[in-house]
Each structure stands twice: as structure tokens, then as C-alpha cells.
Amino acid sequence: MQMNLGSLFVLALAGFGAVAAEEKKEWKGSKGYGHGKGKGSGSGKTPNNFIMVIPDGFGPASEAMARGWTHWSNNDTTTLPIDSMVIGQVRTRATDSYVTDSAASATAYSCGLKSYNGAIGVVPSFAPCGTVLEAAKAQGMHTGLIATSRITHATPASYVAHVYDRDLEANIALQEIGYAHPMGRVVDLLLGGGRCFFTPQTTEDSCREDDIDALALARDAGYQVFSDRETFDGELTLPYLGLFTQDHMSYEIDRNPSEEPSLAEMAIKGLDSLLAASQESGEPFFIMVEASRIDHAGHANDATGHLHDILAYNEAMAAMREWIDEHAEDAPTTLISTADHECGGLTIGTELDGPPEYWWAPEHFAQSTATAGVLAKKYAAANASDPSEIFAAYGIPAPTADERAQAVALQSDEKKFAVFLAKALSDRLGINWSTAGHTGVDVTLYGYGGNSAAMVGQHENTQIGEFVAKQLGLDLEDVTEKLAKNETWLETFVKPPTQEVGEKVRRRGLAMHHH
């Protein structure tokens, strides 16, 4: 969808202000939560803060793989930080498939409603649904989004944007900063990657197809905009927008700490910023934190990338748990964490000809120091064809003669070489991947602090959104009604240009999405 500054400015004048003004009314207590009214306490008491953590593509086998590696590394370590926080399971189907994508799943978590694969904050009719983040902001709370993917990617987008197709990230960027959102600016902090969707097409490496400078628009909206580690480490005041990379942030094992903060560092920075603002205003906060690249490594069947992003997620969960304990008195907070779906169809174990009959070998992770994609790029750019250094860096110090020959044959094809290299390590580990896409297995639910124990058990993914709304005393239906009033915005940003285009989006496969 092509857009220009002139049409956006007219659109902004056409109706955004009226809805935004309604949202600024003083909150006197919730009249309900979820998509019905009259269910809230109506007490006007300040509810707990809420942290929603989504380890994208993280399934039960992934947890077991990370635990096995941790135990092999240190025999005294038999559990992961998240193991003590397990409280249940989540069912993940979408309206159009038993295997969900991140967009439909995140919409269930944010709106408490099912939708089709590819839907960003809209239901199957393409109508927008109010999210917990928007409802929190409407009631005077502070809000944040953190991801290691592009910040415009499906999961963070589903908490603040509304559009029929998840791949319209240039559109999503404008909604995220409030420029093309009926409620104005609803997110107080955004941290992640994806700067390319915020820069005009004339800028090097831009992903936009227009001349809109979304970073300039964000500054005009009051955001402190930055992309460097030094600014991140300094004093930040809400609102702020930190985009550290053009595309997704690096996999954890490939990350340069001097340039990109870790997931744990971003999470704690965000929590401290929101707490400071919350203590000043007297209102609580809501934040969504996504460990995005667990999923991307699953799509790539890259065991090394998958493992280290899982460990980074555990580090972040441990840090947030400690933060909750430290602020138990001054900032009571509930944390819920669950994946949107499993990715890769990972299984752990292989059969042996003799005892002990079944085995997997986490020790092969010990010498793996980079993802297959990074090494494939390095090999393709190398002047020499000898793949020994590349194999060794991926934890394969003694490749077979056949493997070496295949490597040389694939040197110029980064994608095929990365797939080949990843499989070579998986074979040695004794793990298997059934797909390069998502699967329909149930995912584990974790909780800590506040009223998280109320979610013990097995739940539909929509119940996660309903629980958040209930805990914060939010009225999602009220936000949904207000969003539906702005017909100009609906036609320009939310709905497909034709029904045929909309149906095409709903029919396409998961492999069509840009991960």
C-alpha cells in the first residue's frame, strides 16, 4: 500500500483527534474487562503491573534440549530458571488452521479473540479488536513493547496495530508510533530491531516503498529515538524508541554486546523506565517482551541459534523474576509467559545399535560458536574453498569427506549451505526437525508473582488475553468500539483494498511470511 505524507496528514485531521481526546479522560475505575461489560471490580483500586513474555516458537522439546545442554555443561545444574515457573499449557489453534502463526496467536493474546493466520489485531471480518495494551493506555497506564525481531514483526505488532496482513510492516510502523493510530501514541517505549521500516525509501537499506520518515515522525510525537548502545545505557525518559538493527536483532550467539543489548538488558531497562513513570503517575504499567528469534532458528532448523536464544530467554525470565521480587512491596507485578506456537517440530533422541539404545549428544554444542546463517555468509565471501574453519566454528571439527565435498559444491549458495550445515550438526546431536515451519502442539505456560497462580491449568490462547484484561481491570470492548468509529482509518490502514486481496492473504501458507 503506497502512502504519502500529505494523505496521512489529512487522515490525521479527519478523525484521529476526536478518538484520542476521548482516551485522555480520567480513569475512574474499570467497568469491565475482556469483550463483555460489567465483569470488572469497578473499585478504582490500582491493579498490579503486568509483564507478558512470549518466547516465539518455543516448544516443550526445545526446553528439554536446553536443559540437557545446561546439565551437560554443569552436572550440578539440573533445571532451567523457567522450570520452577511452570503452571500449565496453552492450546494454540487459529480460526483457519489447527497450526497457528504468530499473528493469529498474538492477536489471541492481545485481544482475547481468535483470528486467521496473518491477522494483526483484527478478527476474520477484518474489523479491529481492542488490545490489552491499547486498553491499558486508555486508562492512563504506561506501556511498552520489546522484541529481538523487527519491532514491526507479527507479535509486537498485534498489541498496537490493526491490519489484515502481517507483512504490511511499513503500515505497522506508523501505527506503532501513533502517527496512524486513532488513539495517537499508545506505546511509551519500543525496543528491538527493524529500523528499515522507519526510514524513507531513499535511505540505504530502507524497507519502505515511500518517502515517509517514520523516525522523524516519532521524534515529532515526542519519542527519544536512538539506535546505539551508548544511548541505551544512559538515562532514558519515556517515551523512547530504540531500534538497534536494520532488520531483526542478531541471534544471541552472534550478538555483539557493544552494539546490541541482550533481551534481559532490554527487559530490565524497560521495567525500570515504566516503574519510574508509574511511581510518578500513580498508575500501573503493561509490557510485552518477546524472545523472537527462538522461532527464527526453529524455521532454519539451526540447533545452535535455537539453543542460545532459549538460554537468553531463560536469563531474561530469571532477571524479571528477580526484579519482581525486589519490587514486591512498591510495585506488585504479575508475569505470565507462553509461546505463541512451537516451531520446527523438534524431537530429541536417536536409536543406537547397542546400549544404552537411545541417545542424544549435547556435547556437540560445546564448540559451536555461531549460527549456520552467519557462517554460510562468511564461507560464501571467502576466497578459499576449504570449509574446515567453517565446520569447526559450527561444532564439527571432523567433517567427513562427503560433507567437505558437499560444502564446496554449495559454497556460493548461502541458503542451501546453511541448511546443509545445520543438518550436519543436528545429526551429530541426535536431534531431528520434522518441519521448517510451525506445529500444532500445545505450549507450556509459565507464571510468577501477583495472581499468576490463577492461571494454573490448561487454557485456550484467548484466555491469556482475557486474564491480562481481568488483572488490569481493562475494557477491551470499549476500545474496540472506538476503533470502529474511524471509517477513514479503517479503509486506509486496516482493511484489504478488496475482498479478493483479503481472501488471498487468508489462504496463503505460513511459508509465505518473511521471517
Side-chain angles (χ1 to χ4, degrees):
M1 181 182 297
Q2 293 285 332
M3 293 172 282
N4 59 64
L5 286 171
S7 63
L8 286 172
F9 181 69
V10 172
L11 182 61
L13 293 179
F16 287 9
V19 180
E22 285 192 66
E23 300 299 347
K24 293 180 180 178
K25 292 178 181 178
E26 184 179 359
W27 179 43
K28 299 297 185 182
S30 173
K31 60 180 176 181
Y33 67 87
H35 287 270
K37 296 183 178 181
K39 297 181 180 179
S41 66
S43 64
K45 294 181 179 179
T46 303
N48 289 344
N49 304 309
F50 204 103
I51 306 171
M52 178 72 199
V53 187
I54 301 178
D56 198 318
F58 180 58
S62 302
E63 181 175 2
M65 184 184 76
R67 189 187 304 114
W69 158 251
T70 302
H71 179 253
W72 183 88
S73 303
N74 181 351
N75 284 338
D76 293 331
T77 305
T78 58
T79 61
L80 297 170
I82 58 174
D83 287 337
S84 63
M85 295 185 252
V86 174
I87 59 174
Q89 286 184 315
V90 176
R91 305 184 294 274
T92 62
R93 67 176 177 84
T95 58
D96 59 341
S97 175
Y98 287 110
V99 182
T100 190
D101 81 332
S102 296
S105 184
T107 295
Y109 292 157
S110 64
C111 291
L113 296 171
K114 294 277 189 183
S115 197
Y116 61 91
N117 285 342
I120 298 292
V122 298
V123 294
S125 66
F126 305 125
C129 52
T131 73
V132 292
L133 185 146
E134 291 167 327
K137 191 62 176 177
Q139 295 181 182
M141 302 180 196
H142 299 282
T143 62
L145 291 174
I146 294 173
T148 51
S149 65
R150 297 188 297 270
I151 200 66
T152 50
H153 218 228
T155 300
S158 295
Y159 278 84
V160 63
H162 306 273
V163 64
Y164 72 95
D165 182 356
R166 59 176 284 171
D167 288 342
L168 299 178
E169 294 184 57
N171 172 336
I172 290 166
L174 298 180
Q175 295 194 52
E176 286 185 332
I177 61 173
Y179 187 78
H181 196 293
M183 294 168 59
R185 192 189 74 220
V186 294
V187 192
D188 294 307
L189 70 89
L190 299 108
L191 293 173
R195 192 165 59 246
C196 73
F197 281 104
F198 291 80
T199 56
Q201 62 182 343
T202 53
T203 306
E204 184 179 1
D205 297 326
S206 173
C207 298
R208 299 191 68 87
E209 297 179 358
D210 56 36
D211 296 322
I212 296 173
D213 186 342
L215 295 181
L217 295 175
R219 292 187 183 94
D220 290 342
Y223 284 102
Q224 178 181 0
V225 178
F226 59 93
S227 60
D228 61 297
R229 180 67 198 243
E230 183 179 0
T231 301
F232 172 82
D233 289 335
E235 291 295 324
L236 296 174
T237 303
L238 299 179
Y240 57 78
L241 168 66
L243 302 173
F244 302 99
T245 53
Q246 285 291 104
D247 194 34
H248 301 303
M249 293 183 72
S250 300
Y251 285 110
E252 177 60 23
I253 196 167
D254 300 327
R255 181 176 63 88
N256 182 343
S258 67
E259 296 178 358
E260 300 176 48
S262 68
L263 180 66
E265 289 171 326
M266 290 193 293
I268 298 305
K269 188 76 169 187
L271 290 176
D272 287 344
S273 295
L274 291 172
L275 176 61
S278 179
Q279 289 176 331
E280 185 174 329
S281 69
E283 299 289 354
F285 65 77
F286 169 83
I287 187 171
M288 192 287 297
V289 178
E290 185 192 26
S292 318
R293 306 223 63 192
I294 296 171
D295 173 71
H296 300 175
H299 281 289
N301 291 176
D302 188 327
T304 296
H306 200 60
L307 170 68
H308 287 276
D309 271 71
I310 291 168
L311 297 177
Y313 160 64
N314 272 269
E315 179 188 7
M317 287 284 282
M320 286 183 275
R321 179 176 62 187
E322 182 178 345
W323 190 95
I324 291 171
D325 289 341
E326 289 176 355
H327 296 283
E329 297 299 322
D330 64 326
T333 301
T334 299
L335 181 152
I336 288 290
S337 178
T338 187
D340 43 2
H341 51 73
E342 194 274 346
C343 185
L346 178 66
T347 60
I348 305 171
T350 188
E351 292 183 85
L352 301 177
D353 292 334
E357 295 188 45
Y358 308 108
W359 188 254
W360 85 278
E363 62 266 24
H364 289 286
F365 279 126
Q367 297 180 62
S368 190
T369 59
T371 59
V374 164
L375 293 172
K377 185 174 183 179
K378 180 179 180 180
Y379 186 43
N383 293 323
S385 61
D386 183 1
S388 300
E389 180 183 339
I390 300 300
F391 275 114
Y394 199 57
I396 305 173
T400 65
D402 184 59
E403 286 174 330
R404 292 175 65 88
Q406 288 187 63
V408 172
L410 294 172
Q411 182 175 8
S412 62
D413 192 325
E414 287 184 32
K415 185 174 182 180
K416 288 184 179 179
F417 179 77
V419 171
F420 156 73
L421 188 63
K423 186 177 186 306
L425 181 61
S426 291
D427 289 345
R428 286 165 170 77
L429 289 164
I431 66 172
N432 294 277
W433 307 85
S434 66
T435 178
H438 302 169
T439 67
V441 302
D442 296 343
V443 292
T444 306
L445 177 64
Y446 307 90
Y448 190 77
N451 298 322
S452 59
M455 284 297 281
V456 169
Q458 229 240 13
H459 306 278
E460 199 66 42
N461 57 6
T462 52
Q463 292 177 275
I464 302 298
E466 292 171 357
F467 177 70
V468 177
K470 182 176 181 180
Q471 294 306 302
L472 292 176
L474 306 176
D475 188 348
L476 302 186
E477 184 176 297
D478 184 59
V479 175
T480 299
E481 291 174 354
K482 289 174 180 176
L483 292 173
K485 290 179 181 178
N486 197 309
E487 294 184 7
T488 306
W489 171 71
L490 293 174
E491 295 299 323
T492 306
F493 287 95
V494 182
K495 296 180 179 180
T498 66
Q499 193 67 23
E500 182 182 5
V501 170
E503 288 304 317
K504 187 178 294 184
V505 169
R506 290 196 289 204
R507 288 197 302 268
R508 72 184 178 188
L510 294 178
M512 293 295 291
H513 300 310
H514 175 200
H515 295 284

